[in-house]
Amino acid sequence: MVELQGSIAEVIYHNKENYYTIAVIENGEEQFTAVGYLPGADRGRAFRFRGIWKTHPTYGEQFSFTEYQEEMPSSQEGIEGFLSSGLLKGIGKKTAAAIVHRFGGDTFAIIEKEPHRLTEVEGIGEKKAAAVSEAFMAHKEFAEITLFFQQFGIAPPYAMKLYKVYGPDTIQAVTENPYQLVDDIFGIGFKKADKIAEKMGINKNSEYRIESGIKYALWLYVNEGHTYVPQKMFCENTAELLEVGTEQVHEILVQLAFEGEIHIENLEGRSVIFSMPYYTAEQNVCKILLSLSRSDLKPVSSDVDELIAATERETGILLSENQKYAVKASLKNGVSVITGGPGTGKTTIINTIMKILEHSGFATAIAAPTGRAAKRITETSGYEASTIHRLLEYYYSEGEDTMRFGKNSEDQLEYDAIIIDEASMIDILLMNGLLSAIKPGTRLIVVGDADQLPSVGAGNVLRDMLDSEVIYAVKLTEIFRQAKESLIVVNAHKINQGEYPDCNEKDKDFFLLRQKSEKEMLETIKSLCVKRLPEYYKGCDAVRDMQVLTPVRKGLLGSINLNKELQNVLNPPAEGQEEKVFGERIFREGDKVMQIKNNYQMEWKRLEDFTEGQGVFNGDVGYIQTIDREFNEITIVFDDNRYVRYDFSQLDEIELAYAVTVHKSQGSEFPIVIMPVSWFPPMLATRNLLYTAVTRGKRAVIIVGSENKMHAMVDNNRITDRYSGLAVRLKAFL
């Protein structure tokens, strides 16, 4: 590692959020560009940097530093520059000059040890003197803390977060128990804390470590979709993960249960462990579902059969007996589930129910887990749908520094009926939030396809409701005549039943383009997007109307590489077209992008009606309109004409979306779906993943790859069992 020193001559870029800085450093007659995380990026301040030289493809040679130490100036000119840099609020150039004129080289000692003497300078009273001293000491304190933590690989942004939480006691607090960082500091996980602890010499058998490791191991299971985990298996796996004894894990586990941080209970004859929020959510969901199903309901205004017949006359669509049964069941019961695959008439049933409820003067809400799913409901039904989060008035609580539902058990929704579509995507925490806001006597109608991939979050809500046989449910199996004409619909049902799909029939919409190697598959996908499909489907937009879906993120046919390849052919570099390099990604004006995390505070605006609001959600797809280098901003227009400005520092929230994983596509429909089928890990190359991908296509589905591998996916009916106790609880409560 190289050590260089110098003072800041010019600040090229400084991010106030994470302190990422690009600055020109001056050392005598020499200058160099330094890049790294630096909180005090003010002209004139001097530092000693440690790092390595790197060559940037665009900006040339730069000194990339990972450690730094501020060198306090000793000359009167340097002291004056430091005081007037803006670091100490209320001291401008004039006051700084007066202080240095009075105290000379002793200025810093006076500020630190005899701050009352600052009142000897004209214009500085006792209050201002105290404020200057306090700001100076805080700066010195933070500089010492930053320097201390650099040896443990904790960058300045995290050091600042630590300082905000622990104040002057930061070093002592972290040294005693570095694992508390996992709970207290966003962005520091168990693995990072464990590395810090190891460098600090913390013993592997430390209670702090095992306690934090248990919470981390439980989070890993939650991240895989489980609400609980069998205790014996958990103790063995966690002991192996932490390289400690099983008995030690069990001992701390029991201690955490007594403290109320986890819950241990006997479920179906075995001891299981819950993370407390998931135990509470599961209990609450079970209790409210049963309560709603038994509540007295507001009656519909007239005979349901007559209302169905009137709706049929109005729409010109005749319902099958099973569809009529589903409509009646949803009106008769407090809670009902309607499930079925594509082409079985779920949308027709929703529209019929809405018309009947409207006729009866019922206040009705319709919602879905994602913005794209809600938009699709609005387009197909004509009724305004929203996301569940928006329905529940999700907001950021500054006082609690967390997200909250505005509608909850204390302030419930004022509706007579609520319809939730795409329910397979709802996890247990969201279901708990939703049910808590529904008052007794409200009809809850849950619609979804239980054979699709389960929710990304923990739980298996829709499947558990069906498996319990406690909640009234109607399964739709009949494919209607118009849907039967689509091979997409027919093949989706064949795949779901373990049968191989029919491909390449004349004038149909399901195709298999056989290719053996992954390289050939990649070239075929690019050719389809650039030339073949736009020529075949006239008016088809390669970026907006086609969606490449893949089971995986990594590899030649993973979404990361596919996005790079498709960006190069669908939106290549062009003169006058701005682009921004961010890590290993390039964002270019015109790119199709996806938001990959929920950001409830992100502001948006619709230019056509000047509507403003907050919230951009995981899975929202948009297009980069402009990249503004002067203001370091990217403007993205999302599908529903929401204009959102991203600071360059926020670009980790988006990624290219020419190709997305099948999991990310849930709740969406695309005119044309293209999917590579090669060797993928068996846990991903499954029947229900293929089924989910196929059901995303509306106009055409094109499989590119091996017929044998596609058949193998159909044969692989491996559904990873989720540890979820909702079905068991519903049966037990009944």
Side-chain angles (χ1 to χ4, degrees):
M1 196 173 280
V2 181
E3 185 170 286
L4 299 174
Q5 63 187 85
S7 58
I8 297 176
E10 183 186 352
V11 178
I12 298 170
Y13 176 74
H14 178 68
N15 185 312
K16 290 179 182 178
E17 294 293 320
N18 64 9
Y19 310 124
Y20 182 74
T21 302
I22 304 171
V24 176
I25 308 298
E26 201 168 51
N27 185 357
E29 296 180 1
E30 292 182 346
Q31 284 190 342
F32 62 91
T33 302
V35 178
Y37 295 94
L38 186 68
D42 301 300
R43 284 184 68 179
R45 289 173 68 176
F47 294 90
R48 189 179 297 275
F49 300 100
R50 283 177 288 279
I52 57 172
W53 287 101
K54 286 185 176 179
T55 303
H56 190 280
T58 307
Y59 304 110
E61 197 172 45
Q62 298 177 333
F63 187 71
S64 176
F65 64 90
T66 52
E67 296 178 20
Y68 70 88
Q69 182 176 357
E70 184 166 10
E71 297 190 322
M72 299 299 284
S74 54
S75 69
Q76 291 195 19
E77 185 184 358
I79 295 170
E80 191 177 317
F82 177 87
L83 293 179
S84 62
S85 67
L87 185 71
L88 308 180
K89 284 184 180 177
I91 295 187
K93 287 185 178 181
K94 192 175 177 183
T95 307
I99 292 172
V100 175
H101 179 74
R102 175 71 184 85
F103 301 113
D106 296 328
T107 296
F108 290 146
I110 296 294
I111 292 173
E112 186 176 347
K113 294 172 183 173
E114 300 178 83
H116 61 277
R117 289 193 58 194
L118 290 173
T119 57
E120 296 172 18
V121 177
E122 190 179 346
I124 297 181
E126 287 183 14
K127 195 173 178 182
K128 189 170 183 179
V132 169
S133 177
E134 190 179 323
F136 180 78
M137 293 306 293
H139 167 75
K140 191 177 177 187
E141 215 168 57
F142 178 60
E144 288 171 1
I145 287 167
T146 304
L147 186 62
F148 175 80
F149 284 128
Q150 280 177 10
Q151 64 186 306
F152 303 115
I154 299 177
Y158 289 115
M160 175 58 86
K161 288 179 181 179
L162 292 171
Y163 185 62
K164 282 179 180 176
V165 173
Y166 306 120
D169 303 322
T170 300
I171 292 174
Q172 183 186 344
V174 176
T175 306
E176 282 179 7
N177 178 17
Y179 293 99
Q180 64 187 312
L181 303 185
V182 179
D183 296 325
D184 296 343
I185 309 298
F186 178 76
I188 295 184
F190 173 77
K191 286 187 174 180
K192 191 174 183 70
D194 206 31
K195 283 181 182 176
I196 294 166
E198 188 179 4
K199 288 179 181 177
M200 288 182 171
I202 303 289
N203 193 294
K204 275 194 172 184
N205 293 310
S206 158
E207 279 193 21
Y208 290 136
R209 180 174 185 268
I210 297 172
E211 183 179 311
S212 185
I214 285 172
K215 292 176 185 175
Y216 169 66
L218 206 46
W219 174 82
L220 290 176
Y221 281 103
V222 165
N223 213 35
E224 289 177 1
H226 307 295
T227 59
Y228 71 83
V229 56
Q231 184 176 331
K232 185 175 184 295
M233 181 178 79
F234 178 80
C235 287
E236 289 170 355
N237 291 347
T238 305
E240 188 179 339
L241 175 75
L242 300 178
E243 297 176 348
V244 297
T246 309
E247 305 78 21
Q248 291 171 285
V249 172
H250 181 264
E251 193 178 310
I252 303 292
L253 201 62
V254 172
Q255 186 179 309
L256 286 170
F258 274 118
E259 291 168 0
E261 295 210 36
I262 64 166
H263 177 77
I264 301 175
E265 71 170 304
N266 191 287
L267 202 67
E268 293 188 302
R270 62 179 172 181
S271 181
V272 303
I273 304 159
F274 282 86
S275 178
M276 211 62 193
Y278 293 90
Y279 169 71
T280 306
E282 211 167 78
Q283 288 277 88
N284 206 38
V285 166
C286 176
K287 184 179 74 176
I288 298 174
L289 280 175
L290 291 171
S291 172
L292 287 173
S293 65
R294 293 167 179 163
S295 297
D296 293 329
L297 302 172
K298 179 180 173 181
V300 291
S301 59
S302 59
D303 182 79
V304 174
D305 286 312
E306 288 180 13
L307 289 171
I308 291 173
T311 304
E312 286 178 325
R313 288 193 295 273
E314 185 183 334
T315 61
I317 299 172
L318 297 176
L319 274 65
S320 70
E321 289 306 311
N322 200 28
Q323 285 180 308
K324 289 178 184 177
Y325 180 68
V327 172
K328 291 176 186 177
S330 65
L331 297 172
K332 178 184 173 184
N333 293 283
V335 181
S336 57
V337 176
I338 300 168
T339 183
T344 56
K346 295 192 297 295
T347 302
T348 301
I349 290 171
I350 290 174
N351 292 347
T352 304
I353 292 169
M354 286 295 292
K355 285 187 179 298
I356 291 172
L357 293 172
E358 191 177 46
H359 183 275
S360 299
F362 281 25
T364 307
I366 184 164
T370 67
R372 299 201 81 180
K375 185 183 177 187
R376 190 156 53 81
I377 295 165
T378 302
E379 289 170 350
T380 55
S381 70
Y383 294 99
E384 189 65 36
S386 74
T387 62
I388 296 173
H389 285 87
R390 195 163 291 149
L391 177 71
L392 298 177
E393 298 177 9
Y394 212 41
Y395 73 100
Y396 175 72
S397 169
E398 285 191 21
E400 298 170 294
D401 191 27
T402 188
M403 300 305 300
R404 286 276 178 254
F405 288 123
K407 292 297 178 182
N408 48 47
S409 57
E410 294 174 6
D411 182 12
Q412 294 182 310
L413 294 162
E414 293 294 330
Y415 290 105
D416 301 308
I418 294 172
I419 300 173
I420 302 296
D421 198 7
E422 294 287 358
S424 63
M425 300 173 67
I426 300 176
D427 61 46
I428 194 71
L429 294 183
L430 181 56
M431 192 64 169
N432 183 39
L434 172 66
L435 292 178
S436 297
I438 298 177
K439 61 183 181 181
T442 304
R443 286 174 173 82
L444 175 64
I445 302 157
V446 178
V447 184
D449 184 349
D451 294 315
Q452 284 193 29
L453 292 170
S455 59
V456 175
N460 210 357
V461 174
L462 181 60
R463 173 55 61 191
D464 279 354
M465 288 172 72
L466 292 167
D467 289 349
S468 73
E469 298 181 347
V470 171
I471 305 300
Y472 210 91
V474 179
K475 183 164 187 180
L476 306 171
T477 54
E478 182 184 351
I479 307 174
F480 290 93
R481 183 179 57 80
Q482 192 175 356
K484 279 181 182 175
E485 294 173 5
S486 166
L487 263 189
I488 295 173
V489 172
V490 172
N491 282 339
H493 286 272
K494 291 185 81 168
I495 290 165
N496 200 28
Q497 290 157 15
E499 299 173 25
Y500 301 147
D502 296 321
C503 308
N504 304 336
E505 291 186 12
K506 190 179 178 185
D507 299 325
K508 293 292 184 180
D509 52 12
F510 195 102
F511 306 93
L512 170 65
L513 301 185
R514 295 173 179 84
Q515 297 291 354
K516 290 181 180 178
S517 74
E518 290 196 344
K519 194 173 180 182
E520 289 173 328
M521 293 177 206
L522 178 60
E523 292 306 314
T524 300
I525 289 169
K526 286 163 35 177
S527 172
L528 283 167
C529 292
V530 174
K531 188 177 181 184
R532 293 167 67 177
L533 289 173
E535 286 179 359
Y536 187 79
Y537 294 99
K538 300 300 181 188
C540 169
D541 186 292
V543 175
R544 293 177 182 268
D545 296 332
M546 298 180 204
Q547 186 61 59
V548 178
L549 301 182
T550 174
V552 294
R553 280 182 59 78
K554 295 179 180 177
L556 196 67
L557 298 175
S559 60
I560 296 170
N561 185 61
L562 280 168
N563 272 315
K564 285 181 183 176
E565 295 281 348
L566 291 168
Q567 182 191 44
N568 286 338
V569 293
L570 294 175
N571 191 28
E575 193 176 337
Q577 186 182 35
E578 283 286 357
E579 60 180 48
K580 166 66 181 169
V581 177
F582 186 80
E584 294 183 1
R585 287 173 283 173
I586 297 172
F587 293 110
R588 196 170 288 138
E589 288 176 346
D591 274 337
K592 183 179 185 178
V593 293
M594 176 182 279
Q595 176 80 9
I596 56 172
K597 61 184 280 192
N598 290 333
N599 186 329
Y600 303 99
Q601 295 171 271
M602 184 75 87
E603 295 180 351
W604 53 261
K605 186 182 288 186
R606 284 195 185 95
L607 295 188
E608 64 266 27
D609 57 5
F610 301 104
T611 306
E612 295 183 2
Q614 286 183 315
V616 184
F617 301 102
N618 187 2
D620 284 356
V621 173
Y623 304 88
I624 295 177
Q625 187 187 52
T626 56
I627 296 176
D628 190 328
R629 292 197 167 277
E630 184 180 348
F631 293 98
N632 296 323
E633 285 180 343
I634 288 183
T635 301
I636 297 173
V637 185
F638 285 94
D639 276 349
D640 44 2
N641 284 331
R642 287 175 300 154
Y643 286 72
V644 182
R645 286 179 180 169
Y646 288 76
D647 185 87
F648 282 176
S649 65
Q650 296 174 298
L651 297 184
D652 58 343
E653 294 190 16
I654 60 170
E655 61 183 29
L656 295 173
Y658 299 101
V660 300
T661 62
V662 178
H663 281 86
K664 282 283 188 187
S665 73
Q666 283 179 269
S668 301
E669 272 189 354
F670 311 99
I672 298 173
V673 163
I674 305 165
M675 180 177 171
V677 172
S678 179
W679 183 92
F680 297 119
M683 64 184 296
L684 290 173
T686 62
R687 181 187 299 175
N688 76 328
L689 185 135
L690 179 62
Y691 171 77
T692 302
V694 167
T695 54
R696 301 305 91 209
K698 201 171 179 182
R699 191 174 176 187
V701 170
I702 299 104
I703 305 291
V704 180
S706 161
E707 187 170 25
N708 289 338
K709 292 290 190 298
M710 180 178 70
H711 290 171
M713 288 183 80
V714 176
D715 294 337
N716 181 12
N717 195 24
R718 171 181 179 169
I719 297 173
T720 306
D721 288 330
R722 288 191 168 193
Y723 294 121
S724 170
L726 181 59
V728 179
R729 293 190 193 287
L730 285 167
K731 288 175 185 175
F733 268 92
L734 185 70

